[in-house]
Amino acid sequence: MVAEIGWDPEVWEDPIAFEPERFLEIGGGEFDFTGIKEIRMIPFGGGRRMCPGYTLDMLHLEYFMANLVWNFKWETAWEVDLWKKPEFQGQS
Ligand code: HEM
Protein backbone atom coordinates (compact mmCIF):
# COMPACT_ATOMS: atom_id res chain seq x y z
CA MET A 1 0.00 0.00 0.00
CA VAL A 2 2.70 2.56 0.94
CA ALA A 3 4.60 1.54 -2.22
CA GLU A 4 1.53 2.19 -4.38
CA ILE A 5 1.16 5.68 -2.87
CA GLY A 6 4.70 6.38 -4.13
CA TRP A 7 3.86 5.18 -7.65
CA ASP A 8 0.82 7.40 -8.24
CA PRO A 9 1.08 8.71 -11.84
CA GLU A 10 -1.10 11.69 -10.89
CA VAL A 11 1.63 12.77 -8.46
CA TRP A 12 4.78 11.57 -10.24
CA GLU A 13 5.64 11.85 -13.90
CA ASP A 14 6.69 8.37 -15.08
CA PRO A 15 6.71 7.06 -11.47
CA ILE A 16 8.59 3.80 -12.15
CA ALA A 17 11.53 5.53 -13.90
CA PHE A 18 14.68 5.75 -11.79
CA GLU A 19 15.15 9.51 -11.61
CA PRO A 20 16.46 10.34 -8.12
CA GLU A 21 17.15 13.90 -9.25
CA ARG A 22 13.39 14.50 -9.19
CA PHE A 23 13.63 14.76 -5.39
CA LEU A 24 16.03 17.70 -5.70
CA GLU A 25 13.32 19.71 -7.44
CA ILE A 26 10.78 19.27 -4.65
CA GLY A 27 10.83 21.55 -1.61
CA GLY A 28 14.25 22.93 -2.51
CA GLY A 29 15.87 19.52 -2.08
CA GLU A 30 14.15 18.91 1.28
CA PHE A 31 11.80 16.12 0.31
CA ASP A 32 9.36 15.27 3.09
CA PHE A 33 8.81 11.48 3.27
CA THR A 34 7.15 11.63 6.69
CA GLY A 35 3.79 12.77 5.40
CA ILE A 36 3.80 15.83 7.67
CA LYS A 37 3.85 18.50 4.94
CA GLU A 38 2.34 16.47 2.12
CA ILE A 39 1.86 12.89 1.02
CA ARG A 40 3.69 12.03 -2.18
CA MET A 41 5.76 9.09 -1.05
CA ILE A 42 5.74 7.68 2.48
CA PRO A 43 8.00 4.60 2.55
CA PHE A 44 7.82 4.47 6.36
CA GLY A 45 4.12 5.18 6.62
CA GLY A 46 2.88 8.25 8.43
CA GLY A 47 1.08 9.55 11.46
CA ARG A 48 1.05 7.81 14.84
CA ARG A 49 1.88 4.37 13.40
CA MET A 50 4.80 5.60 11.29
CA CYS A 51 7.79 3.26 11.37
CA PRO A 52 9.71 4.01 14.60
CA GLY A 53 12.85 2.57 12.98
CA TYR A 54 13.06 5.18 10.20
CA THR A 55 15.94 7.20 11.65
CA LEU A 56 17.92 3.97 12.05
CA ASP A 57 16.98 3.07 8.47
CA MET A 58 18.18 6.42 7.16
CA LEU A 59 21.53 5.96 8.93
CA HIS A 60 21.78 2.46 7.51
CA LEU A 61 21.01 3.70 3.99
CA GLU A 62 23.73 6.35 4.29
CA TYR A 63 26.14 3.62 5.39
CA PHE A 64 25.01 1.46 2.44
CA MET A 65 25.47 4.35 -0.03
CA ALA A 66 28.87 5.22 1.44
CA ASN A 67 30.00 1.63 0.90
CA LEU A 68 28.80 1.69 -2.71
CA VAL A 69 30.72 4.91 -3.32
CA TRP A 70 33.76 3.51 -1.56
CA ASN A 71 33.87 0.13 -3.30
CA PHE A 72 32.96 0.98 -6.90
CA LYS A 73 34.37 3.31 -9.52
CA TRP A 74 31.68 5.85 -10.35
CA GLU A 75 31.20 7.92 -13.49
CA THR A 76 28.58 10.51 -14.24
CA ALA A 77 26.19 9.96 -17.13
CA TRP A 78 26.78 13.56 -18.22
CA GLU A 79 29.48 16.18 -17.72
CA VAL A 80 29.43 17.41 -14.12
CA ASP A 81 32.11 18.40 -11.64
CA LEU A 82 31.04 16.64 -8.43
CA TRP A 83 33.68 18.47 -6.41
CA LYS A 84 31.76 21.71 -7.02
CA LYS A 85 28.66 20.22 -5.42
CA PRO A 86 28.71 20.75 -1.63
CA GLU A 87 26.36 17.79 -1.02
CA PHE A 88 29.07 15.46 -2.35
CA GLN A 89 31.52 16.87 0.17
CA GLY A 90 29.25 16.34 3.15
CA GLN A 91 28.43 20.06 3.43
CA SER A 92 24.78 20.04 2.39
C1 HEM B 1 14.08 0.37 5.07
C2 HEM B 1 13.61 -0.18 6.20
C3 HEM B 1 12.20 -0.03 6.71
C4 HEM B 1 11.07 0.37 6.07
C5 HEM B 1 10.89 0.79 4.60
C6 HEM B 1 10.00 0.34 7.04
C7 HEM B 1 8.68 0.66 6.77
C8 HEM B 1 7.67 0.55 7.69
C9 HEM B 1 6.28 0.83 7.41
C10 HEM B 1 5.71 1.27 6.06
C11 HEM B 1 5.58 0.64 8.54
C12 HEM B 1 4.06 0.80 8.73
C13 HEM B 1 3.79 2.24 9.16
C14 HEM B 1 2.29 2.54 9.23
O1 HEM B 1 1.50 1.65 9.56
O2 HEM B 1 1.91 3.70 8.94
C15 HEM B 1 6.52 0.22 9.56
C16 HEM B 1 6.18 -0.08 10.86
C17 HEM B 1 7.07 -0.44 11.83
N1 HEM B 1 8.43 -0.53 11.72
FE1 HEM B 1 9.49 -0.26 10.01
N2 HEM B 1 10.51 -0.07 8.25
C18 HEM B 1 11.83 -0.31 8.11
C19 HEM B 1 12.71 -0.73 9.08
C20 HEM B 1 12.42 -0.86 10.42
C21 HEM B 1 13.41 -1.08 11.47
C22 HEM B 1 14.93 -1.17 11.25
C23 HEM B 1 12.71 -1.19 12.63
C24 HEM B 1 13.20 -1.44 14.04
C25 HEM B 1 14.45 -1.20 14.42
C26 HEM B 1 11.32 -1.02 12.33
C27 HEM B 1 10.29 -1.09 13.22
C28 HEM B 1 8.97 -0.91 12.93
C29 HEM B 1 7.88 -1.08 13.89
C30 HEM B 1 8.00 -1.50 15.36
C31 HEM B 1 6.69 -0.78 13.20
C32 HEM B 1 5.26 -0.81 13.77
C33 HEM B 1 4.90 0.59 14.23
C34 HEM B 1 3.43 0.63 14.71
O3 HEM B 1 2.62 -0.12 14.19
O4 HEM B 1 3.12 1.46 15.58
N3 HEM B 1 11.18 -0.80 10.97
N4 HEM B 1 7.78 0.20 9.03
Side-chain angles (χ1 to χ4, degrees), residues 2 42-54 56-58 60-61:
V2 285
I42 47 170
F44 302 106
R48 293 173 62 186
R49 302 305 295 266
M50 183 179 176
C51 177
Y54 88 93
L56 178 65
D57 303 328
M58 295 308 288
H60 186 247
L61 286 172

Side-chain angles (χ1 to χ4, degrees), residues 8 15 18 20 27 35-36 42-43 46 48 61-62 71-73 78:
D8 186 348
F18 179 67
I36 292 172
I42 47 170
R48 293 173 62 186
L61 286 172
E62 285 180 24
N71 286 296
F72 291 91
K73 185 175 184 305
W78 58 92

Side-chain angles (χ1 to χ4, degrees), residues 5 13 15 21 23 34 40 45 52 62 66 82:
I5 291 170
E13 193 184 316
E21 64 274 17
F23 296 102
T34 63
R40 287 189 190 217
E62 285 180 24
L82 294 180

